[in-house]
Amino acid sequence: MPNRTITEARLLEMVFPDHTNHLGTLFGGQALAWMDKAAFIAASRYARRTVVTARSEQVDFQLPVRQGQLVETVARVVEVGNTSMQVEVELVAEDLLSGERETCTRGRFVMIALDSRGRPTAVPALPSG
């Protein structure tokens, strides 16, 4: 099987009471932590290097995620610089009984690849096509 570049990561989490605020909806900080984790995994798989988060950009909380829902976090490497990767991340909430799914949160994270000395290092270009 040919070696192909992996540019995506998907994580699944259940929203339990300890993830929620007093309204029974997902804490924004918890959502950001799940998004950052997915961005880290997508960037690490793409670069095959140690990566760190440089910044998060334009995170939009569009709909609340309720306790008891399943959350799928989808992260995709969409742009690559010399040492950086832009990762788009979305949180999709799913009602397990009805199957209804809604995108609730979107954001973009910038991840930096590091060499063994902790310095920024080159990452491969995105494959074309």
Side-chain angles (χ1 to χ4, degrees):
M1 177 183 226
N3 184 12
R4 63 184 183 89
T5 303
I6 299 172
T7 60
E8 182 178 279
R10 292 174 178 262
L11 305 176
L12 295 170
E13 297 282 350
M14 282 299 301
V15 179
F16 290 115
D18 62 326
H19 300 133
T20 65
N21 58 27
H22 64 290
L23 299 173
T25 60
L26 185 65
F27 278 120
Q30 183 65 65
L32 287 171
W34 287 345
M35 292 171 79
D36 186 40
K37 181 179 179 181
F40 164 80
I41 292 169
S44 296
R45 291 175 90 190
Y46 174 77
R48 298 296 177 190
R49 301 229 182 258
T50 298
V51 302
V52 293
T53 305
R55 69 178 169 270
S56 59
E57 300 177 341
Q58 190 68 39
V59 176
D60 296 314
F61 295 90
Q62 299 160 329
L63 297 170
V65 179
R66 306 209 177 282
Q67 179 182 316
Q69 288 186 306
L70 177 69
V71 171
E72 183 175 19
T73 308
V74 182
R76 291 180 188 90
V77 176
V78 294
E79 287 182 42
V80 173
N82 291 328
T83 63
S84 66
M85 292 154 282
Q86 301 246 348
V87 183
E88 286 186 355
V89 184
E90 62 181 20
L91 239 62
V92 179
E94 179 178 332
D95 183 292
L96 287 176
L97 300 180
S98 71
E100 183 179 339
R101 293 170 53 89
E102 295 181 296
T103 299
C104 296
T105 306
R106 292 180 197 270
R108 186 177 278 234
F109 291 74
V110 177
M111 312 302 285
I112 304 293
L114 302 177
D115 65 16
S116 62
R117 297 169 69 182
R119 296 182 182 157
T121 191
V123 295
L126 274 172
S128 57

